[in-house]
mmCIF file of all heavy atoms in Angstrom:
data_model
loop_
_atom_site.group_PDB
_atom_site.id
_atom_site.type_symbol
_atom_site.label_atom_id
_atom_site.label_comp_id
_atom_site.label_asym_id
_atom_site.label_seq_id
_atom_site.Cartn_x
_atom_site.Cartn_y
_atom_site.Cartn_z
ATOM 1 N N GLY A 1 196.163 125.868 89.115
ATOM 2 C CA GLY A 1 195.230 124.760 88.928
ATOM 3 C C GLY A 1 194.349 124.482 90.153
ATOM 4 O O GLY A 1 193.526 123.531 90.109
ATOM 5 N N TYR A 2 194.464 125.296 91.222
ATOM 6 C CA TYR A 2 193.616 125.068 92.441
ATOM 7 C C TYR A 2 193.004 126.389 92.844
ATOM 8 O O TYR A 2 193.535 127.469 92.601
ATOM 9 C CB TYR A 2 194.490 124.538 93.587
ATOM 10 C CG TYR A 2 194.890 123.109 93.425
ATOM 11 C CD1 TYR A 2 195.943 122.742 92.647
ATOM 12 C CD2 TYR A 2 194.191 122.119 94.105
ATOM 13 C CE1 TYR A 2 196.370 121.429 92.535
ATOM 14 C CE2 TYR A 2 194.539 120.738 93.949
ATOM 15 C CZ TYR A 2 195.624 120.392 93.165
ATOM 16 O OH TYR A 2 196.007 119.127 93.017
ATOM 17 N N ALA A 3 191.792 126.283 93.453
ATOM 18 C CA ALA A 3 191.162 127.459 93.994
ATOM 19 C C ALA A 3 191.982 127.942 95.220
ATOM 20 O O ALA A 3 192.537 127.180 95.990
ATOM 21 C CB ALA A 3 189.743 127.156 94.430
ATOM 22 N N GLU A 4 192.053 129.260 95.380
ATOM 23 C CA GLU A 4 192.740 129.793 96.526
ATOM 24 C C GLU A 4 192.159 129.334 97.851
ATOM 25 O O GLU A 4 190.932 129.279 98.000
ATOM 26 C CB GLU A 4 192.726 131.336 96.434
ATOM 27 C CG GLU A 4 193.371 132.038 97.664
ATOM 28 C CD GLU A 4 193.219 133.540 97.587
ATOM 29 O OE1 GLU A 4 193.821 134.126 96.693
ATOM 30 O OE2 GLU A 4 192.536 134.110 98.403
ATOM 31 N N GLY A 5 192.988 128.978 98.755
ATOM 32 C CA GLY A 5 192.529 128.569 100.080
ATOM 33 C C GLY A 5 192.843 129.607 101.118
ATOM 34 O O GLY A 5 193.914 130.123 101.216
ATOM 35 N N ALA A 6 191.844 129.980 101.915
ATOM 36 C CA ALA A 6 192.012 130.991 102.962
ATOM 37 C C ALA A 6 191.572 130.331 104.283
ATOM 38 O O ALA A 6 190.441 129.787 104.396
ATOM 39 C CB ALA A 6 191.127 132.208 102.680
ATOM 40 N N PHE A 7 192.426 130.369 105.308
ATOM 41 C CA PHE A 7 192.201 129.668 106.535
ATOM 42 C C PHE A 7 192.503 130.560 107.733
ATOM 43 O O PHE A 7 193.329 131.503 107.634
ATOM 44 C CB PHE A 7 193.074 128.392 106.633
ATOM 45 C CG PHE A 7 192.945 127.499 105.427
ATOM 46 C CD1 PHE A 7 193.764 127.668 104.327
ATOM 47 C CD2 PHE A 7 192.026 126.508 105.406
ATOM 48 C CE1 PHE A 7 193.641 126.832 103.193
ATOM 49 C CE2 PHE A 7 191.880 125.630 104.311
ATOM 50 C CZ PHE A 7 192.711 125.810 103.190
ATOM 51 N N LYS A 8 191.887 130.253 108.870
ATOM 52 C CA LYS A 8 192.221 130.879 110.129
ATOM 53 C C LYS A 8 192.654 129.802 111.093
ATOM 54 O O LYS A 8 192.105 128.714 111.201
ATOM 55 C CB LYS A 8 191.009 131.594 110.714
ATOM 56 C CG LYS A 8 190.666 132.921 110.076
ATOM 57 C CD LYS A 8 189.551 133.640 110.809
ATOM 58 C CE LYS A 8 189.296 135.005 110.161
ATOM 59 N NZ LYS A 8 188.228 135.728 110.937
ATOM 60 N N VAL A 9 193.777 130.094 111.743
ATOM 61 C CA VAL A 9 194.372 129.144 112.739
ATOM 62 C C VAL A 9 194.641 129.831 114.039
ATOM 63 O O VAL A 9 195.194 130.964 114.007
ATOM 64 C CB VAL A 9 195.670 128.498 112.181
ATOM 65 C CG1 VAL A 9 196.271 127.589 113.239
ATOM 66 C CG2 VAL A 9 195.389 127.778 110.857
ATOM 67 N N ARG A 10 194.183 129.241 115.139
ATOM 68 C CA ARG A 10 194.508 129.838 116.469
ATOM 69 C C ARG A 10 195.643 129.024 117.064
ATOM 70 O O ARG A 10 195.639 127.785 117.218
ATOM 71 C CB ARG A 10 193.290 129.751 117.361
ATOM 72 C CG ARG A 10 193.537 130.327 118.742
ATOM 73 C CD ARG A 10 192.257 130.570 119.527
ATOM 74 N NE ARG A 10 191.432 131.585 118.857
ATOM 75 C CZ ARG A 10 191.603 132.903 119.070
ATOM 76 N NH1 ARG A 10 192.584 133.292 119.846
ATOM 77 N NH2 ARG A 10 190.824 133.717 118.492
ATOM 78 N N LEU A 11 196.729 129.775 117.455
ATOM 79 C CA LEU A 11 197.953 129.084 117.992
ATOM 80 C C LEU A 11 198.047 129.343 119.523
ATOM 81 O O LEU A 11 197.713 130.426 119.992
ATOM 82 C CB LEU A 11 199.191 129.673 117.276
ATOM 83 C CG LEU A 11 199.233 129.415 115.793
ATOM 84 C CD1 LEU A 11 200.386 130.208 115.182
ATOM 85 C CD2 LEU A 11 199.408 127.954 115.469
ATOM 86 N N PRO A 12 198.555 128.372 120.229
ATOM 87 C CA PRO A 12 198.738 128.496 121.646
ATOM 88 C C PRO A 12 199.986 129.337 121.986
ATOM 89 O O PRO A 12 200.809 129.602 121.068
ATOM 90 C CB PRO A 12 198.911 127.030 122.125
ATOM 91 C CG PRO A 12 199.522 126.375 120.969
ATOM 92 C CD PRO A 12 198.932 127.022 119.728
ATOM 93 N N PRO A 13 200.276 129.680 123.204
ATOM 94 C CA PRO A 13 201.473 130.431 123.577
ATOM 95 C C PRO A 13 202.750 129.695 123.242
ATOM 96 O O PRO A 13 203.792 130.393 122.955
ATOM 97 C CB PRO A 13 201.342 130.643 125.077
ATOM 98 C CG PRO A 13 199.852 130.542 125.368
ATOM 99 C CD PRO A 13 199.358 129.517 124.399
ATOM 100 N N GLU A 14 202.759 128.387 123.228
ATOM 101 C CA GLU A 14 203.975 127.684 122.935
ATOM 102 C C GLU A 14 203.602 126.262 122.448
ATOM 103 O O GLU A 14 202.443 125.861 122.461
ATOM 104 C CB GLU A 14 204.864 127.564 124.154
ATOM 105 C CG GLU A 14 204.247 126.872 125.336
ATOM 106 C CD GLU A 14 205.072 126.888 126.592
ATOM 107 O OE1 GLU A 14 206.076 127.567 126.565
ATOM 108 O OE2 GLU A 14 204.749 126.161 127.483
ATOM 109 N N GLY A 15 204.589 125.500 121.947
ATOM 110 C CA GLY A 15 204.391 124.161 121.461
ATOM 111 C C GLY A 15 204.314 124.120 119.963
ATOM 112 O O GLY A 15 204.580 125.052 119.286
ATOM 113 N N THR A 16 203.881 122.926 119.449
ATOM 114 C CA THR A 16 203.771 122.708 118.019
ATOM 115 C C THR A 16 202.371 122.364 117.638
ATOM 116 O O THR A 16 201.693 121.544 118.289
ATOM 117 C CB THR A 16 204.732 121.587 117.562
ATOM 118 O OG1 THR A 16 206.074 121.956 117.869
ATOM 119 C CG2 THR A 16 204.600 121.313 116.080
ATOM 120 N N VAL A 17 201.895 122.988 116.564
ATOM 121 C CA VAL A 17 200.490 122.759 116.117
ATOM 122 C C VAL A 17 200.636 122.172 114.706
ATOM 123 O O VAL A 17 201.300 122.758 113.840
ATOM 124 C CB VAL A 17 199.681 124.014 116.077
ATOM 125 C CG1 VAL A 17 198.304 123.741 115.407
ATOM 126 C CG2 VAL A 17 199.460 124.535 117.446
ATOM 127 N N GLU A 18 199.986 121.053 114.419
ATOM 128 C CA GLU A 18 200.023 120.394 113.101
ATOM 129 C C GLU A 18 198.668 120.565 112.435
ATOM 130 O O GLU A 18 197.624 120.341 113.044
ATOM 131 C CB GLU A 18 200.376 118.953 113.213
ATOM 132 C CG GLU A 18 201.778 118.692 113.725
ATOM 133 C CD GLU A 18 202.242 117.240 113.632
ATOM 134 O OE1 GLU A 18 201.407 116.415 113.106
ATOM 135 O OE2 GLU A 18 203.382 116.976 113.954
ATOM 136 N N ARG A 19 198.679 120.935 111.148
ATOM 137 C CA ARG A 19 197.460 121.219 110.401
ATOM 138 C C ARG A 19 197.583 120.653 108.971
ATOM 139 O O ARG A 19 198.686 120.614 108.433
ATOM 140 C CB ARG A 19 197.139 122.687 110.300
ATOM 141 C CG ARG A 19 196.668 123.273 111.589
ATOM 142 C CD ARG A 19 195.252 122.851 111.983
ATOM 143 N NE ARG A 19 194.737 123.512 113.149
ATOM 144 C CZ ARG A 19 194.915 123.067 114.404
ATOM 145 N NH1 ARG A 19 195.603 121.958 114.607
ATOM 146 N NH2 ARG A 19 194.382 123.714 115.414
ATOM 147 N N ILE A 20 196.448 120.270 108.395
ATOM 148 C CA ILE A 20 196.397 119.936 106.975
ATOM 149 C C ILE A 20 195.515 121.005 106.293
ATOM 150 O O ILE A 20 194.372 121.244 106.733
ATOM 151 C CB ILE A 20 195.798 118.515 106.729
ATOM 152 C CG1 ILE A 20 196.796 117.485 107.293
ATOM 153 C CG2 ILE A 20 195.545 118.291 105.248
ATOM 154 C CD1 ILE A 20 196.229 116.025 107.181
ATOM 155 N N PHE A 21 196.037 121.592 105.249
ATOM 156 C CA PHE A 21 195.272 122.613 104.496
ATOM 157 C C PHE A 21 194.885 122.037 103.101
ATOM 158 O O PHE A 21 195.779 121.886 102.261
ATOM 159 C CB PHE A 21 196.015 123.921 104.297
ATOM 160 C CG PHE A 21 196.365 124.558 105.648
ATOM 161 C CD1 PHE A 21 197.681 124.683 106.068
ATOM 162 C CD2 PHE A 21 195.371 125.023 106.483
ATOM 163 C CE1 PHE A 21 197.970 125.315 107.279
ATOM 164 C CE2 PHE A 21 195.651 125.660 107.680
ATOM 165 C CZ PHE A 21 196.954 125.782 108.097
ATOM 166 N N PRO A 22 193.598 121.709 102.849
ATOM 167 C CA PRO A 22 193.274 121.149 101.546
ATOM 168 C C PRO A 22 192.849 122.261 100.569
ATOM 169 O O PRO A 22 192.209 123.193 100.887
ATOM 170 C CB PRO A 22 192.018 120.285 101.922
ATOM 171 C CG PRO A 22 191.391 121.004 103.079
ATOM 172 C CD PRO A 22 192.543 121.719 103.837
ATOM 173 N N LEU A 23 193.239 122.089 99.329
ATOM 174 C CA LEU A 23 192.883 122.953 98.230
ATOM 175 C C LEU A 23 192.024 122.258 97.205
ATOM 176 O O LEU A 23 192.194 121.009 96.951
ATOM 177 C CB LEU A 23 194.111 123.540 97.536
ATOM 178 C CG LEU A 23 195.104 124.365 98.350
ATOM 179 C CD1 LEU A 23 196.167 124.892 97.448
ATOM 180 C CD2 LEU A 23 194.385 125.468 99.131
ATOM 181 N N ASP A 24 191.056 122.925 96.638
ATOM 182 C CA ASP A 24 190.161 122.343 95.671
ATOM 183 C C ASP A 24 190.642 122.486 94.228
ATOM 184 O O ASP A 24 190.974 123.615 93.793
ATOM 185 C CB ASP A 24 188.748 123.025 95.714
ATOM 186 C CG ASP A 24 188.089 122.771 97.076
ATOM 187 O OD1 ASP A 24 188.452 121.800 97.803
ATOM 188 O OD2 ASP A 24 187.260 123.612 97.471
ATOM 189 N N PHE A 25 190.779 121.399 93.533
ATOM 190 C CA PHE A 25 191.337 121.356 92.194
ATOM 191 C C PHE A 25 190.308 122.021 91.198
ATOM 192 O O PHE A 25 189.137 121.789 91.258
ATOM 193 C CB PHE A 25 191.594 119.942 91.756
ATOM 194 C CG PHE A 25 192.262 119.885 90.409
ATOM 195 C CD1 PHE A 25 193.664 119.973 90.278
ATOM 196 C CD2 PHE A 25 191.548 119.620 89.266
ATOM 197 C CE1 PHE A 25 194.256 119.852 89.022
ATOM 198 C CE2 PHE A 25 192.157 119.522 88.002
ATOM 199 C CZ PHE A 25 193.541 119.638 87.892
ATOM 200 N N THR A 26 190.810 122.885 90.295
ATOM 201 C CA THR A 26 189.972 123.491 89.279
ATOM 202 C C THR A 26 190.470 123.135 87.881
ATOM 203 O O THR A 26 189.697 123.149 86.945
ATOM 204 C CB THR A 26 189.955 125.034 89.435
ATOM 205 O OG1 THR A 26 191.278 125.548 89.213
ATOM 206 C CG2 THR A 26 189.451 125.437 90.833
ATOM 207 N N GLY A 27 191.725 122.904 87.754
ATOM 208 C CA GLY A 27 192.325 122.670 86.442
ATOM 209 C C GLY A 27 192.528 123.956 85.646
ATOM 210 O O GLY A 27 193.038 123.849 84.467
ATOM 211 N N TYR A 28 192.253 125.063 86.214
ATOM 212 C CA TYR A 28 192.308 126.318 85.480
ATOM 213 C C TYR A 28 193.762 126.640 85.009
ATOM 214 O O TYR A 28 194.658 126.552 85.789
ATOM 215 C CB TYR A 28 191.787 127.482 86.369
ATOM 216 C CG TYR A 28 191.609 128.781 85.639
ATOM 217 C CD1 TYR A 28 190.692 128.890 84.626
ATOM 218 C CD2 TYR A 28 192.400 129.869 85.977
ATOM 219 C CE1 TYR A 28 190.556 130.142 83.955
ATOM 220 C CE2 TYR A 28 192.268 131.084 85.316
ATOM 221 C CZ TYR A 28 191.311 131.208 84.279
ATOM 222 O OH TYR A 28 191.162 132.420 83.631
ATOM 223 N N ASN A 29 193.890 126.930 83.743
ATOM 224 C CA ASN A 29 195.134 127.235 83.136
ATOM 225 C C ASN A 29 196.127 126.077 83.107
ATOM 226 O O ASN A 29 197.375 126.290 82.874
ATOM 227 C CB ASN A 29 195.812 128.464 83.806
ATOM 228 C CG ASN A 29 195.201 129.756 83.395
ATOM 229 O OD1 ASN A 29 194.552 129.859 82.355
ATOM 230 N ND2 ASN A 29 195.408 130.785 84.153
ATOM 231 N N LEU A 30 195.650 124.876 83.362
ATOM 232 C CA LEU A 30 196.520 123.675 83.207
ATOM 233 C C LEU A 30 196.306 123.005 81.853
ATOM 234 O O LEU A 30 195.211 123.140 81.304
ATOM 235 C CB LEU A 30 196.213 122.697 84.357
ATOM 236 C CG LEU A 30 196.597 123.115 85.757
ATOM 237 C CD1 LEU A 30 196.262 121.995 86.745
ATOM 238 C CD2 LEU A 30 198.121 123.436 85.828
ATOM 239 N N PRO A 31 197.262 122.337 81.313
ATOM 240 C CA PRO A 31 197.109 121.592 80.062
ATOM 241 C C PRO A 31 195.960 120.595 80.165
ATOM 242 O O PRO A 31 195.685 120.037 81.183
ATOM 243 C CB PRO A 31 198.470 120.906 79.885
ATOM 244 C CG PRO A 31 199.427 121.672 80.712
ATOM 245 C CD PRO A 31 198.679 122.134 81.897
ATOM 246 N N GLU A 32 195.319 120.354 79.010
ATOM 247 C CA GLU A 32 194.143 119.459 78.996
ATOM 248 C C GLU A 32 194.523 118.042 79.385
ATOM 249 O O GLU A 32 193.735 117.352 80.029
ATOM 250 C CB GLU A 32 193.578 119.477 77.535
ATOM 251 C CG GLU A 32 192.335 118.625 77.415
ATOM 252 C CD GLU A 32 191.196 119.079 78.235
ATOM 253 O OE1 GLU A 32 191.110 120.310 78.462
ATOM 254 O OE2 GLU A 32 190.412 118.207 78.692
ATOM 255 N N GLU A 33 195.754 117.609 79.085
ATOM 256 C CA GLU A 33 196.131 116.223 79.456
ATOM 257 C C GLU A 33 196.227 116.082 80.955
ATOM 258 O O GLU A 33 196.012 115.044 81.515
ATOM 259 C CB GLU A 33 197.427 115.855 78.792
ATOM 260 C CG GLU A 33 198.634 116.749 79.097
ATOM 261 C CD GLU A 33 198.797 117.848 78.041
ATOM 262 O OE1 GLU A 33 197.803 118.176 77.362
ATOM 263 O OE2 GLU A 33 199.931 118.338 77.867
#
């Protein structure tokens, strides 16, 4: 039901990186309701 998302992320040598990855809704192959 969503378009494929392709992303590039650069990570540092250490630590924690937080990211949000958004996908675009298409409704493809989902029920009409």
Side-chain angles (χ1 to χ4, degrees):
Y2 286 82
E4 177 183 294
F7 308 88
K8 284 187 177 181
V9 178
R10 182 168 292 278
L11 299 171
E14 58 183 13
T16 299
V17 175
E18 296 189 358
R19 288 288 186 272
I20 293 178
F21 297 117
L23 299 184
D24 297 335
F25 185 84
T26 63
Y28 188 65
N29 283 341
L30 290 180
E32 183 60 31
E33 56 267 24

